[in-house]
mmCIF file with all atom_site columns, all heavy atoms in Angstrom:
data_model
loop_
_atom_site.group_PDB
_atom_site.id
_atom_site.type_symbol
_atom_site.label_atom_id
_atom_site.label_alt_id
_atom_site.label_comp_id
_atom_site.label_asym_id
_atom_site.label_entity_id
_atom_site.label_seq_id
_atom_site.pdbx_PDB_ins_code
_atom_site.Cartn_x
_atom_site.Cartn_y
_atom_site.Cartn_z
_atom_site.occupancy
_atom_site.B_iso_or_equiv
_atom_site.pdbx_formal_charge
_atom_site.auth_seq_id
_atom_site.auth_comp_id
_atom_site.auth_asym_id
_atom_site.auth_atom_id
_atom_site.pdbx_PDB_model_num
ATOM 1   N N   . LEU A 1 1  ? 88.260  85.064  75.879 1.00 0.00 ? 5  LEU A N   1
ATOM 2   C CA  . LEU A 1 1  ? 89.189  85.018  77.012 1.00 0.00 ? 5  LEU A CA  1
ATOM 3   C C   . LEU A 1 1  ? 89.471  86.421  77.543 1.00 0.00 ? 5  LEU A C   1
ATOM 4   O O   . LEU A 1 1  ? 89.543  86.638  78.754 1.00 0.00 ? 5  LEU A O   1
ATOM 5   C CB  . LEU A 1 1  ? 90.504  84.355  76.588 1.00 0.00 ? 5  LEU A CB  1
ATOM 6   C CG  . LEU A 1 1  ? 90.462  82.842  76.365 1.00 0.00 ? 5  LEU A CG  1
ATOM 7   C CD1 . LEU A 1 1  ? 91.754  82.358  75.714 1.00 0.00 ? 5  LEU A CD1 1
ATOM 8   C CD2 . LEU A 1 1  ? 90.235  82.104  77.692 1.00 0.00 ? 5  LEU A CD2 1
ATOM 9   N N   . ILE A 1 2  ? 89.615  87.372  76.630 1.00 0.00 ? 6  ILE A N   1
ATOM 10  C CA  . ILE A 1 2  ? 89.888  88.757  77.038 1.00 0.00 ? 6  ILE A CA  1
ATOM 11  C C   . ILE A 1 2  ? 88.671  89.363  77.734 1.00 0.00 ? 6  ILE A C   1
ATOM 12  O O   . ILE A 1 2  ? 88.772  89.917  78.826 1.00 0.00 ? 6  ILE A O   1
ATOM 13  C CB  . ILE A 1 2  ? 90.296  89.613  75.828 1.00 0.00 ? 6  ILE A CB  1
ATOM 14  C CG1 . ILE A 1 2  ? 91.609  89.108  75.237 1.00 0.00 ? 6  ILE A CG1 1
ATOM 15  C CG2 . ILE A 1 2  ? 90.433  91.086  76.234 1.00 0.00 ? 6  ILE A CG2 1
ATOM 16  C CD1 . ILE A 1 2  ? 91.982  89.754  73.899 1.00 0.00 ? 6  ILE A CD1 1
ATOM 17  N N   . ASP A 1 3  ? 87.497  89.256  77.109 1.00 0.00 ? 7  ASP A N   1
ATOM 18  C CA  . ASP A 1 3  ? 86.295  89.879  77.668 1.00 0.00 ? 7  ASP A CA  1
ATOM 19  C C   . ASP A 1 3  ? 85.941  89.314  79.040 1.00 0.00 ? 7  ASP A C   1
ATOM 20  O O   . ASP A 1 3  ? 85.497  90.040  79.929 1.00 0.00 ? 7  ASP A O   1
ATOM 21  C CB  . ASP A 1 3  ? 85.106  89.692  76.715 1.00 0.00 ? 7  ASP A CB  1
ATOM 22  C CG  . ASP A 1 3  ? 85.123  90.674  75.560 1.00 0.00 ? 7  ASP A CG  1
ATOM 23  O OD1 . ASP A 1 3  ? 85.850  91.690  75.659 1.00 0.00 ? 7  ASP A OD1 1
ATOM 24  O OD2 . ASP A 1 3  ? 84.421  90.437  74.558 1.00 0.00 ? 7  ASP A OD2 1
ATOM 25  N N   . VAL A 1 4  ? 86.114  88.010  79.212 1.00 0.00 ? 8  VAL A N   1
ATOM 26  C CA  . VAL A 1 4  ? 85.677  87.357  80.441 1.00 0.00 ? 8  VAL A CA  1
ATOM 27  C C   . VAL A 1 4  ? 86.701  87.487  81.558 1.00 0.00 ? 8  VAL A C   1
ATOM 28  O O   . VAL A 1 4  ? 86.336  87.599  82.733 1.00 0.00 ? 8  VAL A O   1
ATOM 29  C CB  . VAL A 1 4  ? 85.364  85.866  80.173 1.00 0.00 ? 8  VAL A CB  1
ATOM 30  C CG1 . VAL A 1 4  ? 85.034  85.131  81.468 1.00 0.00 ? 8  VAL A CG1 1
ATOM 31  C CG2 . VAL A 1 4  ? 84.193  85.737  79.192 1.00 0.00 ? 8  VAL A CG2 1
ATOM 32  N N   . ASN A 1 5  ? 88.007  87.515  81.222 1.00 0.00 ? 9  ASN A N   1
ATOM 33  C CA  . ASN A 1 5  ? 89.038  87.384  82.252 1.00 0.00 ? 9  ASN A CA  1
ATOM 34  C C   . ASN A 1 5  ? 89.945  88.589  82.466 1.00 0.00 ? 9  ASN A C   1
ATOM 35  O O   . ASN A 1 5  ? 90.590  88.689  83.505 1.00 0.00 ? 9  ASN A O   1
ATOM 36  C CB  . ASN A 1 5  ? 89.937  86.179  81.924 1.00 0.00 ? 9  ASN A CB  1
ATOM 37  C CG  . ASN A 1 5  ? 89.174  84.877  81.853 1.00 0.00 ? 9  ASN A CG  1
ATOM 38  O OD1 . ASN A 1 5  ? 88.815  84.300  82.862 1.00 0.00 ? 9  ASN A OD1 1
ATOM 39  N ND2 . ASN A 1 5  ? 88.922  84.409  80.633 1.00 0.00 ? 9  ASN A ND2 1
ATOM 40  N N   . ALA A 1 6  ? 90.028  89.501  81.499 1.00 0.00 ? 10 ALA A N   1
ATOM 41  C CA  . ALA A 1 6  ? 91.009  90.585  81.594 1.00 0.00 ? 10 ALA A CA  1
ATOM 42  C C   . ALA A 1 6  ? 90.635  91.608  82.661 1.00 0.00 ? 10 ALA A C   1
ATOM 43  O O   . ALA A 1 6  ? 89.465  91.942  82.836 1.00 0.00 ? 10 ALA A O   1
ATOM 44  C CB  . ALA A 1 6  ? 91.171  91.267  80.239 1.00 0.00 ? 10 ALA A CB  1
ATOM 45  N N   . LEU A 1 7  ? 91.640  92.091  83.371 1.00 0.00 ? 11 LEU A N   1
ATOM 46  C CA  . LEU A 1 7  ? 91.477  93.131  84.389 1.00 0.00 ? 11 LEU A CA  1
ATOM 47  C C   . LEU A 1 7  ? 92.137  94.414  83.906 1.00 0.00 ? 11 LEU A C   1
ATOM 48  O O   . LEU A 1 7  ? 93.234  94.379  83.331 1.00 0.00 ? 11 LEU A O   1
ATOM 49  C CB  . LEU A 1 7  ? 92.130  92.701  85.709 1.00 0.00 ? 11 LEU A CB  1
ATOM 50  C CG  . LEU A 1 7  ? 91.545  91.478  86.417 1.00 0.00 ? 11 LEU A CG  1
ATOM 51  C CD1 . LEU A 1 7  ? 92.428  91.112  87.602 1.00 0.00 ? 11 LEU A CD1 1
ATOM 52  C CD2 . LEU A 1 7  ? 90.133  91.759  86.881 1.00 0.00 ? 11 LEU A CD2 1
ATOM 53  N N   . GLU A 1 8  ? 91.471  95.559  84.146 1.00 0.00 ? 12 GLU A N   1
ATOM 54  C CA  . GLU A 1 8  ? 92.079  96.845  83.816 1.00 0.00 ? 12 GLU A CA  1
ATOM 55  C C   . GLU A 1 8  ? 93.241  97.104  84.769 1.00 0.00 ? 12 GLU A C   1
ATOM 56  O O   . GLU A 1 8  ? 93.126  96.891  85.971 1.00 0.00 ? 12 GLU A O   1
ATOM 57  C CB  . GLU A 1 8  ? 91.057  97.965  83.943 1.00 0.00 ? 12 GLU A CB  1
ATOM 58  C CG  . GLU A 1 8  ? 89.919  97.880  82.953 1.00 0.00 ? 12 GLU A CG  1
ATOM 59  C CD  . GLU A 1 8  ? 88.919  99.011  83.118 1.00 0.00 ? 12 GLU A CD  1
ATOM 60  O OE1 . GLU A 1 8  ? 89.170  99.886  83.970 1.00 0.00 ? 12 GLU A OE1 1
ATOM 61  O OE2 . GLU A 1 8  ? 87.900  99.014  82.415 1.00 0.00 ? 12 GLU A OE2 1
ATOM 62  N N   . THR A 1 9  ? 94.362  97.552  84.229 1.00 0.00 ? 13 THR A N   1
ATOM 63  C CA  . THR A 1 9  ? 95.551  97.801  85.055 1.00 0.00 ? 13 THR A CA  1
ATOM 64  C C   . THR A 1 9  ? 95.751  99.294  85.296 1.00 0.00 ? 13 THR A C   1
ATOM 65  O O   . THR A 1 9  ? 95.343  100.121 84.508 1.00 0.00 ? 13 THR A O   1
ATOM 66  C CB  . THR A 1 9  ? 96.807  97.244  84.373 1.00 0.00 ? 13 THR A CB  1
ATOM 67  O OG1 . THR A 1 9  ? 97.003  97.923  83.122 1.00 0.00 ? 13 THR A OG1 1
ATOM 68  C CG2 . THR A 1 9  ? 96.690  95.747  84.124 1.00 0.00 ? 13 THR A CG2 1
ATOM 69  N N   . MET A 1 10 ? 96.398  99.586  86.417 1.00 0.00 ? 14 MET A N   1
ATOM 70  C CA  . MET A 1 10 ? 96.741  100.973 86.763 1.00 0.00 ? 14 MET A CA  1
ATOM 71  C C   . MET A 1 10 ? 97.874  100.943 87.781 1.00 0.00 ? 14 MET A C   1
ATOM 72  O O   . MET A 1 10 ? 97.619  100.714 88.971 1.00 0.00 ? 14 MET A O   1
ATOM 73  C CB  . MET A 1 10 ? 95.532  101.694 87.340 1.00 0.00 ? 14 MET A CB  1
ATOM 74  C CG  . MET A 1 10 ? 95.848  103.086 87.921 1.00 0.00 ? 14 MET A CG  1
ATOM 75  S SD  . MET A 1 10 ? 96.243  104.323 86.710 1.00 0.00 ? 14 MET A SD  1
ATOM 76  C CE  . MET A 1 10 ? 94.583  104.891 86.337 1.00 0.00 ? 14 MET A CE  1
ATOM 77  N N   . PRO A 1 11 ? 99.134  101.075 87.357 1.00 0.00 ? 15 PRO A N   1
ATOM 78  C CA  . PRO A 1 11 ? 99.613  101.319 85.997 1.00 0.00 ? 15 PRO A CA  1
ATOM 79  C C   . PRO A 1 11 ? 99.800  100.010 85.227 1.00 0.00 ? 15 PRO A C   1
ATOM 80  O O   . PRO A 1 11 ? 99.794  98.959  85.844 1.00 0.00 ? 15 PRO A O   1
ATOM 81  C CB  . PRO A 1 11 ? 100.961 101.999 86.259 1.00 0.00 ? 15 PRO A CB  1
ATOM 82  C CG  . PRO A 1 11 ? 101.441 101.383 87.541 1.00 0.00 ? 15 PRO A CG  1
ATOM 83  C CD  . PRO A 1 11 ? 100.222 101.129 88.351 1.00 0.00 ? 15 PRO A CD  1
ATOM 84  N N   . PRO A 1 12 ? 100.041 100.082 83.863 1.00 0.00 ? 16 PRO A N   1
ATOM 85  C CA  . PRO A 1 12 ? 99.870  101.281 83.052 1.00 0.00 ? 16 PRO A CA  1
ATOM 86  C C   . PRO A 1 12 ? 98.396  101.526 82.758 1.00 0.00 ? 16 PRO A C   1
ATOM 87  O O   . PRO A 1 12 ? 97.610  100.595 82.654 1.00 0.00 ? 16 PRO A O   1
ATOM 88  C CB  . PRO A 1 12 ? 100.643 100.946 81.772 1.00 0.00 ? 16 PRO A CB  1
ATOM 89  C CG  . PRO A 1 12 ? 100.514 99.462  81.650 1.00 0.00 ? 16 PRO A CG  1
ATOM 90  C CD  . PRO A 1 12 ? 100.528 98.932  83.054 1.00 0.00 ? 16 PRO A CD  1
ATOM 91  N N   . GLU A 1 13 ? 98.036  102.776 82.615 1.00 0.00 ? 17 GLU A N   1
ATOM 92  C CA  . GLU A 1 13 ? 96.653  103.142 82.324 1.00 0.00 ? 17 GLU A CA  1
ATOM 93  C C   . GLU A 1 13 ? 96.340  102.832 80.871 1.00 0.00 ? 17 GLU A C   1
ATOM 94  O O   . GLU A 1 13 ? 97.157  103.054 79.983 1.00 0.00 ? 17 GLU A O   1
ATOM 95  C CB  . GLU A 1 13 ? 96.446  104.626 82.600 1.00 0.00 ? 17 GLU A CB  1
ATOM 96  C CG  . GLU A 1 13 ? 95.026  105.107 82.397 1.00 0.00 ? 17 GLU A CG  1
ATOM 97  C CD  . GLU A 1 13 ? 94.873  106.586 82.666 1.00 0.00 ? 17 GLU A CD  1
ATOM 98  O OE1 . GLU A 1 13 ? 95.865  107.224 83.057 1.00 0.00 ? 17 GLU A OE1 1
ATOM 99  O OE2 . GLU A 1 13 ? 93.766  107.107 82.472 1.00 0.00 ? 17 GLU A OE2 1
ATOM 100 N N   . GLY A 1 14 ? 95.153  102.279 80.633 1.00 0.00 ? 18 GLY A N   1
ATOM 101 C CA  . GLY A 1 14 ? 94.739  101.986 79.264 1.00 0.00 ? 18 GLY A CA  1
ATOM 102 C C   . GLY A 1 14 ? 94.982  100.562 78.838 1.00 0.00 ? 18 GLY A C   1
ATOM 103 O O   . GLY A 1 14 ? 94.596  100.164 77.739 1.00 0.00 ? 18 GLY A O   1
ATOM 104 N N   . SER A 1 15 ? 95.621  99.756  79.694 1.00 0.00 ? 19 SER A N   1
ATOM 105 C CA  . SER A 1 15 ? 95.897  98.365  79.367 1.00 0.00 ? 19 SER A CA  1
ATOM 106 C C   . SER A 1 15 ? 95.065  97.431  80.230 1.00 0.00 ? 19 SER A C   1
ATOM 107 O O   . SER A 1 15 ? 94.516  97.820  81.258 1.00 0.00 ? 19 SER A O   1
ATOM 108 C CB  . SER A 1 15 ? 97.391  98.058  79.558 1.00 0.00 ? 19 SER A CB  1
ATOM 109 O OG  . SER A 1 15 ? 98.175  98.688  78.591 1.00 0.00 ? 19 SER A OG  1
ATOM 110 N N   . VAL A 1 16 ? 94.966  96.176  79.780 1.00 0.00 ? 20 VAL A N   1
ATOM 111 C CA  . VAL A 1 16 ? 94.337  95.115  80.559 1.00 0.00 ? 20 VAL A CA  1
ATOM 112 C C   . VAL A 1 16 ? 95.304  93.944  80.605 1.00 0.00 ? 20 VAL A C   1
ATOM 113 O O   . VAL A 1 16 ? 96.220  93.844  79.786 1.00 0.00 ? 20 VAL A O   1
ATOM 114 C CB  . VAL A 1 16 ? 92.984  94.668  79.954 1.00 0.00 ? 20 VAL A CB  1
ATOM 115 C CG1 . VAL A 1 16 ? 91.983  95.808  79.974 1.00 0.00 ? 20 VAL A CG1 1
ATOM 116 C CG2 . VAL A 1 16 ? 93.165  94.131  78.543 1.00 0.00 ? 20 VAL A CG2 1
ATOM 117 N N   . ALA A 1 17 ? 95.096  93.053  81.579 1.00 0.00 ? 21 ALA A N   1
ATOM 118 C CA  . ALA A 1 17 ? 95.973  91.901  81.727 1.00 0.00 ? 21 ALA A CA  1
ATOM 119 C C   . ALA A 1 17 ? 95.160  90.690  82.160 1.00 0.00 ? 21 ALA A C   1
ATOM 120 O O   . ALA A 1 17 ? 94.125  90.819  82.818 1.00 0.00 ? 21 ALA A O   1
ATOM 121 C CB  . ALA A 1 17 ? 97.070  92.202  82.750 1.00 0.00 ? 21 ALA A CB  1
ATOM 122 N N   . ILE A 1 18 ? 95.636  89.511  81.770 1.00 0.00 ? 22 ILE A N   1
ATOM 123 C CA  . ILE A 1 18 ? 95.006  88.255  82.187 1.00 0.00 ? 22 ILE A CA  1
ATOM 124 C C   . ILE A 1 18 ? 95.979  87.518  83.096 1.00 0.00 ? 22 ILE A C   1
ATOM 125 O O   . ILE A 1 18 ? 97.139  87.296  82.730 1.00 0.00 ? 22 ILE A O   1
ATOM 126 C CB  . ILE A 1 18 ? 94.637  87.386  80.972 1.00 0.00 ? 22 ILE A CB  1
ATOM 127 C CG1 . ILE A 1 18 ? 93.676  88.130  80.044 1.00 0.00 ? 22 ILE A CG1 1
ATOM 128 C CG2 . ILE A 1 18 ? 93.994  86.074  81.429 1.00 0.00 ? 22 ILE A CG2 1
ATOM 129 C CD1 . ILE A 1 18 ? 93.283  87.344  78.803 1.00 0.00 ? 22 ILE A CD1 1
ATOM 130 N N   . TYR A 1 19 ? 95.499  87.141  84.282 1.00 0.00 ? 23 TYR A N   1
ATOM 131 C CA  . TYR A 1 19 ? 96.320  86.486  85.294 1.00 0.00 ? 23 TYR A CA  1
ATOM 132 C C   . TYR A 1 19 ? 95.832  85.059  85.522 1.00 0.00 ? 23 TYR A C   1
ATOM 133 O O   . TYR A 1 19 ? 94.624  84.797  85.519 1.00 0.00 ? 23 TYR A O   1
ATOM 134 C CB  . TYR A 1 19 ? 96.282  87.270  86.605 1.00 0.00 ? 23 TYR A CB  1
ATOM 135 C CG  . TYR A 1 19 ? 96.852  88.662  86.476 1.00 0.00 ? 23 TYR A CG  1
ATOM 136 C CD1 . TYR A 1 19 ? 96.044  89.727  86.069 1.00 0.00 ? 23 TYR A CD1 1
ATOM 137 C CD2 . TYR A 1 19 ? 98.192  88.912  86.735 1.00 0.00 ? 23 TYR A CD2 1
ATOM 138 C CE1 . TYR A 1 19 ? 96.570  91.007  85.932 1.00 0.00 ? 23 TYR A CE1 1
ATOM 139 C CE2 . TYR A 1 19 ? 98.719  90.184  86.596 1.00 0.00 ? 23 TYR A CE2 1
ATOM 140 C CZ  . TYR A 1 19 ? 97.908  91.227  86.200 1.00 0.00 ? 23 TYR A CZ  1
ATOM 141 O OH  . TYR A 1 19 ? 98.430  92.485  86.056 1.00 0.00 ? 23 TYR A OH  1
ATOM 142 N N   . GLU A 1 20 ? 96.755  84.161  85.755 1.00 0.00 ? 24 GLU A N   1
ATOM 143 C CA  . GLU A 1 20 ? 96.415  82.747  85.880 1.00 0.00 ? 24 GLU A CA  1
ATOM 144 C C   . GLU A 1 20 ? 95.544  82.462  87.097 1.00 0.00 ? 24 GLU A C   1
ATOM 145 O O   . GLU A 1 20 ? 94.590  81.688  87.022 1.00 0.00 ? 24 GLU A O   1
ATOM 146 C CB  . GLU A 1 20 ? 97.690  81.906  85.949 1.00 0.00 ? 24 GLU A CB  1
ATOM 147 C CG  . GLU A 1 20 ? 97.443  80.411  85.986 1.00 0.00 ? 24 GLU A CG  1
ATOM 148 C CD  . GLU A 1 20 ? 98.716  79.602  85.845 1.00 0.00 ? 24 GLU A CD  1
ATOM 149 O OE1 . GLU A 1 20 ? 99.808  80.199  85.947 1.00 0.00 ? 24 GLU A OE1 1
ATOM 150 O OE2 . GLU A 1 20 ? 98.616  78.380  85.647 1.00 0.00 ? 24 GLU A OE2 1
ATOM 151 N N   . THR A 1 21 ? 95.852  83.094  88.231 1.00 0.00 ? 25 THR A N   1
ATOM 152 C CA  . THR A 1 21 ? 95.129  82.804  89.470 1.00 0.00 ? 25 THR A CA  1
ATOM 153 C C   . THR A 1 21 ? 94.172  83.923  89.849 1.00 0.00 ? 25 THR A C   1
ATOM 154 O O   . THR A 1 21 ? 93.036  83.669  90.262 1.00 0.00 ? 25 THR A O   1
ATOM 155 C CB  . THR A 1 21 ? 96.117  82.570  90.628 1.00 0.00 ? 25 THR A CB  1
ATOM 156 O OG1 . THR A 1 21 ? 97.034  81.522  90.267 1.00 0.00 ? 25 THR A OG1 1
ATOM 157 C CG2 . THR A 1 21 ? 95.379  82.153  91.893 1.00 0.00 ? 25 THR A CG2 1
ATOM 158 N N   . ALA A 1 22 ? 94.589  85.185  89.713 1.00 0.00 ? 26 ALA A N   1
ATOM 159 C CA  . ALA A 1 22 ? 93.745  86.311  90.129 1.00 0.00 ? 26 ALA A CA  1
ATOM 160 C C   . ALA A 1 22 ? 92.414  86.320  89.400 1.00 0.00 ? 26 ALA A C   1
ATOM 161 O O   . ALA A 1 22 ? 91.399  86.759  89.955 1.00 0.00 ? 26 ALA A O   1
ATOM 162 C CB  . ALA A 1 22 ? 94.476  87.627  89.914 1.00 0.00 ? 26 ALA A CB  1
ATOM 163 N N   . CYS A 1 23 ? 92.369  85.832  88.147 1.00 0.00 ? 27 CYS A N   1
ATOM 164 C CA  . CYS A 1 23 ? 91.113  85.852  87.400 1.00 0.00 ? 27 CYS A CA  1
ATOM 165 C C   . CYS A 1 23 ? 90.137  84.796  87.910 1.00 0.00 ? 27 CYS A C   1
ATOM 166 O O   . CYS A 1 23 ? 88.981  84.766  87.467 1.00 0.00 ? 27 CYS A O   1
ATOM 167 C CB  . CYS A 1 23 ? 91.367  85.665  85.908 1.00 0.00 ? 27 CYS A CB  1
ATOM 168 S SG  . CYS A 1 23 ? 91.928  84.028  85.473 1.00 0.00 ? 27 CYS A SG  1
ATOM 169 N N   . LEU A 1 24 ? 90.572  83.945  88.854 1.00 0.00 ? 28 LEU A N   1
ATOM 170 C CA  . LEU A 1 24 ? 89.670  82.962  89.443 1.00 0.00 ? 28 LEU A CA  1
ATOM 171 C C   . LEU A 1 24 ? 88.900  83.532  90.637 1.00 0.00 ? 28 LEU A C   1
ATOM 172 O O   . LEU A 1 24 ? 88.026  82.863  91.195 1.00 0.00 ? 28 LEU A O   1
ATOM 173 C CB  . LEU A 1 24 ? 90.447  81.722  89.893 1.00 0.00 ? 28 LEU A CB  1
ATOM 174 C CG  . LEU A 1 24 ? 91.206  80.970  88.792 1.00 0.00 ? 28 LEU A CG  1
ATOM 175 C CD1 . LEU A 1 24 ? 91.899  79.742  89.379 1.00 0.00 ? 28 LEU A CD1 1
ATOM 176 C CD2 . LEU A 1 24 ? 90.279  80.563  87.665 1.00 0.00 ? 28 LEU A CD2 1
ATOM 177 N N   . LEU A 1 25 ? 89.230  84.771  91.037 1.00 0.00 ? 29 LEU A N   1
ATOM 178 C CA  . LEU A 1 25 ? 88.441  85.430  92.075 1.00 0.00 ? 29 LEU A CA  1
ATOM 179 C C   . LEU A 1 25 ? 87.017  85.609  91.560 1.00 0.00 ? 29 LEU A C   1
ATOM 180 O O   . LEU A 1 25 ? 86.803  86.178  90.493 1.00 0.00 ? 29 LEU A O   1
ATOM 181 C CB  . LEU A 1 25 ? 89.033  86.802  92.412 1.00 0.00 ? 29 LEU A CB  1
ATOM 182 C CG  . LEU A 1 25 ? 90.381  86.809  93.133 1.00 0.00 ? 29 LEU A CG  1
ATOM 183 C CD1 . LEU A 1 25 ? 90.999  88.198  93.049 1.00 0.00 ? 29 LEU A CD1 1
ATOM 184 C CD2 . LEU A 1 25 ? 90.224  86.380  94.585 1.00 0.00 ? 29 LEU A CD2 1
ATOM 185 N N   . GLU A 1 26 ? 86.033  85.109  92.295 1.00 0.00 ? 30 GLU A N   1
ATOM 186 C CA  . GLU A 1 26 ? 84.657  85.214  91.832 1.00 0.00 ? 30 GLU A CA  1
ATOM 187 C C   . GLU A 1 26 ? 84.095  86.608  92.104 1.00 0.00 ? 30 GLU A C   1
ATOM 188 O O   . GLU A 1 26 ? 84.627  87.360  92.919 1.00 0.00 ? 30 GLU A O   1
ATOM 189 C CB  . GLU A 1 26 ? 83.790  84.156  92.496 1.00 0.00 ? 30 GLU A CB  1
ATOM 190 C CG  . GLU A 1 26 ? 83.655  84.316  93.995 1.00 0.00 ? 30 GLU A CG  1
ATOM 191 C CD  . GLU A 1 26 ? 83.030  83.101  94.643 1.00 0.00 ? 30 GLU A CD  1
ATOM 192 O OE1 . GLU A 1 26 ? 83.738  82.090  94.809 1.00 0.00 ? 30 GLU A OE1 1
ATOM 193 O OE2 . GLU A 1 26 ? 81.840  83.170  94.985 1.00 0.00 ? 30 GLU A OE2 1
ATOM 194 N N   . HIS A 1 27 ? 83.003  86.914  91.426 1.00 0.00 ? 31 HIS A N   1
ATOM 195 C CA  . HIS A 1 27 ? 82.383  88.223  91.604 1.00 0.00 ? 31 HIS A CA  1
ATOM 196 C C   . HIS A 1 27 ? 81.487  88.256  92.833 1.00 0.00 ? 31 HIS A C   1
ATOM 197 O O   . HIS A 1 27 ? 80.769  87.314  93.128 1.00 0.00 ? 31 HIS A O   1
ATOM 198 C CB  . HIS A 1 27 ? 81.537  88.591  90.385 1.00 0.00 ? 31 HIS A CB  1
ATOM 199 C CG  . HIS A 1 27 ? 80.637  89.763  90.621 1.00 0.00 ? 31 HIS A CG  1
ATOM 200 N ND1 . HIS A 1 27 ? 81.074  91.069  90.532 1.00 0.00 ? 31 HIS A ND1 1
ATOM 201 C CD2 . HIS A 1 27 ? 79.328  89.830  90.994 1.00 0.00 ? 31 HIS A CD2 1
ATOM 202 C CE1 . HIS A 1 27 ? 80.075  91.883  90.811 1.00 0.00 ? 31 HIS A CE1 1
ATOM 203 N NE2 . HIS A 1 27 ? 79.005  91.160  91.107 1.00 0.00 ? 31 HIS A NE2 1
ATOM 204 N N   . SER A 1 28 ? 81.521  89.371  93.539 1.00 0.00 ? 32 SER A N   1
ATOM 205 C CA  . SER A 1 28 ? 80.531  89.683  94.566 1.00 0.00 ? 32 SER A CA  1
ATOM 206 C C   . SER A 1 28 ? 80.410  91.196  94.630 1.00 0.00 ? 32 SER A C   1
ATOM 207 O O   . SER A 1 28 ? 81.407  91.907  94.536 1.00 0.00 ? 32 SER A O   1
ATOM 208 C CB  . SER A 1 28 ? 80.953  89.138  95.938 1.00 0.00 ? 32 SER A CB  1
ATOM 209 O OG  . SER A 1 28 ? 80.066  89.609  96.950 1.00 0.00 ? 32 SER A OG  1
ATOM 210 N N   . CYS A 1 29 ? 79.182  91.693  94.791 1.00 0.00 ? 33 CYS A N   1
ATOM 211 C CA  . CYS A 1 29 ? 78.974  93.137  94.923 1.00 0.00 ? 33 CYS A CA  1
ATOM 212 C C   . CYS A 1 29 ? 79.389  93.638  96.302 1.00 0.00 ? 33 CYS A C   1
ATOM 213 O O   . CYS A 1 29 ? 79.380  94.843  96.558 1.00 0.00 ? 33 CYS A O   1
ATOM 214 C CB  . CYS A 1 29 ? 77.521  93.495  94.643 1.00 0.00 ? 33 CYS A CB  1
ATOM 215 S SG  . CYS A 1 29 ? 76.976  93.025  92.984 1.00 0.00 ? 33 CYS A SG  1
#
């Protein structure tokens, strides 16, 4: 769950967070 969904935060620097809806944003280059 962490590897697939967590986003690096800034702030705070050095942490990651998992969000219920934001993590559903799909990837695009």
Side-chain angles (χ1 to χ4, degrees):
L5 287 170
I6 296 171
D7 281 343
V8 175
N9 301 283
L11 296 173
E12 295 180 3
T13 62
M14 172 71 87
E17 183 181 357
S19 290
V20 297
I22 301 179
Y23 297 87
E24 184 171 12
T25 304
C27 69
L28 300 181
L29 291 164
E30 65 192 77
H31 167 82
S32 172
C33 300

